[in-house]
Amino acid sequence: MKRRSLLKAMGLSAGAAFTTGLPALAIADRTNEKKPVLTVAHITDVHIREGDDAPERFKTCLKQIIQNHKPDFFLNGGDSINDASYDNVVREQVTKQWAIWDDCIKVIDKYELKSCIGNHDTWWKAPNQTDEMYGKPYAVKRLKIPNRYYSFSKNNWHFIILDGNNSKISLDEEQYKWLAQELKGLKPGTPTLLMSHYPILGTTQVLVGGGHSDCKKLKDLFYQHRDKVKICLSGHNHLSDDTSYNGVRYCCNGAMSGFWWGKGDAESAGPGYYLETPPGYAILKLYADGSLENEYFPHGI
């Protein structure tokens, strides 16, 4: 068949084949793009309480996270309740704050929520140390976590949750030994995320304090396991900071409550800001090769 006759016989089908081919190729290219093995929502410093419509605002924030980002699970960086640690806090205040927390997180009851203990989550002024609400064990119970520090794995990523609520903001010796053994026992190259309530390294503690006093000791440990340790998450300082050192990302991811659900003060850069950081949350995308993204999202609620 001559070339002209062949093209005539093909008619519009030839054009259709070529015009539909380009989108098909584009779709194929998109399927080859790097996709995260996990999308994780990091919320911290919720400081839930009555007043300022905080419970409904927090619920709206959680719904926003689900709708906009579709996370696989949530990490909660501590200070879940507004405060149980002040000297004048009584039992009824503590139980009420935890009840509000329980009600709010029903919004995400279909998701796993992995938490660490914040300094404001523990009630130290119980009548005595045998009181069931005294100290960290009660916070562990209310947060529904297995221990004050623990670990778990998902999709070949390893997660280590720390308790920095010890002398001078640090890991106690028992916990440090456990952490060292935990990292040593991991298969080489296992991408690992650590979360403490307090920043381990970064800029925020230079501005407002509140960082780990054992940062050098932890930095040295992480360097030994630099093929594994990828990122350390924190809160506490209500500021957003992303610092890299020795290949490890240190991300202090602001605060869900911003200026403790209030309007701010003379140093606030905007309504509800603490200094220059608006209230918000972070979304992490974790990849099979150990790379990651950590992005802070102001929630504007």
Side-chain angles (χ1 to χ4, degrees):
M1 186 179 291
K2 292 182 179 180
R3 180 173 179 274
R4 183 178 296 176
S5 300
L6 176 61
L7 290 175
K8 184 176 181 181
M10 291 175 67
L12 291 175
S13 63
F18 286 108
T19 56
T20 58
L22 289 174
L25 289 172
I27 291 170
D29 288 343
R30 283 199 297 272
T31 60
N32 289 329
E33 289 178 1
K34 190 165 79 168
K35 293 184 178 180
V37 294
L38 287 169
T39 298
V40 184
H42 179 218
I43 62 174
T44 187
D45 295 84
V46 175
H47 286 278
I48 202 61
R49 60 174 175 80
E50 292 183 301
D52 290 312
D53 203 26
E56 291 307 313
R57 291 164 67 191
F58 178 37
K59 290 178 185 179
T60 301
C61 292
L62 294 175
K63 293 173 184 176
Q64 180 186 104
I65 293 171
I66 294 169
Q67 180 178 344
N68 294 349
H69 305 286
K70 299 177 175 56
D72 293 299
F73 70 101
F74 285 74
L75 289 172
N76 168 37
D79 281 359
S80 301
I81 60 173
N82 190 50
D83 191 77
S85 65
Y86 290 152
D87 288 348
N88 61 345
V89 174
V90 298
R91 187 184 305 271
E92 290 72 24
Q93 290 173 278
V94 179
T95 55
K96 179 175 285 188
Q97 288 177 63
W98 281 117
I100 297 172
W101 171 260
D102 290 342
D103 178 64
C104 288
I105 62 170
K106 288 178 183 177
V107 171
I108 56 171
D109 60 1
K110 294 181 180 179
Y111 294 83
E112 283 189 90
L113 175 63
K114 304 289 190 178
S115 301
C116 67
I117 302 173
N119 55 297
H120 289 293
D121 295 327
T122 46
W123 189 41
W124 300 111
K125 290 299 178 180
N128 54 67
Q129 295 186 17
T130 61
D131 191 294
E132 67 167 348
M133 290 178 62
Y134 176 82
K136 295 179 186 180
Y138 186 70
V140 166
K141 177 181 176 181
R142 295 311 301 252
L143 290 169
K144 299 177 182 176
I145 54 179
N147 192 22
R148 63 187 180 93
Y149 57 88
Y150 59 100
S151 67
F152 61 96
S153 294
K154 285 183 182 292
N155 290 12
N156 296 319
W157 271 77
H158 196 62
F159 299 82
I160 298 176
I161 311 302
L162 300 173
D163 170 27
N165 298 284
N166 305 290
S167 176
K168 298 179 181 179
I169 306 180
S170 65
L171 304 189
D172 52 281
E173 193 59 29
E174 170 196 301
Q175 183 180 184
Y176 178 81
K177 289 179 179 178
W178 170 86
L179 174 61
Q181 190 60 43
E182 184 82 5
L183 290 172
K184 183 179 179 180
L186 291 173
K187 179 181 175 181
T190 301
T192 301
L193 177 154
L194 296 95
M195 180 173 71
S196 175
H197 178 61
Y198 308 91
I200 294 175
L201 281 179
T203 302
T204 68
Q205 55 266 51
V206 176
L207 296 172
V208 297
H212 269 258
S213 64
D214 54 353
C215 58
K216 292 183 179 179
K217 185 177 181 180
L218 291 173
K219 177 266 296 180
D220 292 344
L221 178 64
F222 298 161
Y223 190 71
Q224 293 175 35
H225 299 282
R226 55 192 177 277
D227 63 316
K228 304 168 187 173
V229 179
K230 303 298 181 183
I231 185 169
C232 297
L233 300 181
S234 66
H236 185 63
N237 285 347
H238 292 226
L239 298 174
S240 177
D241 174 28
D242 190 339
T243 297
S244 292
Y245 189 71
N246 288 341
V248 179
R249 295 269 296 278
Y250 295 88
C251 296
C252 182
N253 281 325
M256 178 68 79
S257 63
F259 198 85
W260 297 266
W261 301 107
K263 295 180 180 179
D265 62 12
E267 293 186 290
S268 299
Y273 283 51
Y274 179 55
L275 300 181
E276 299 83 18
T277 299
Y281 55 86
I283 298 295
L284 291 96
K285 294 187 182 296
L286 309 180
Y287 296 92
D289 63 1
S291 61
L292 62 97
E293 299 168 19
N294 180 96
E295 184 173 359
Y296 188 67
F297 290 87
H299 59 62
I301 297 169

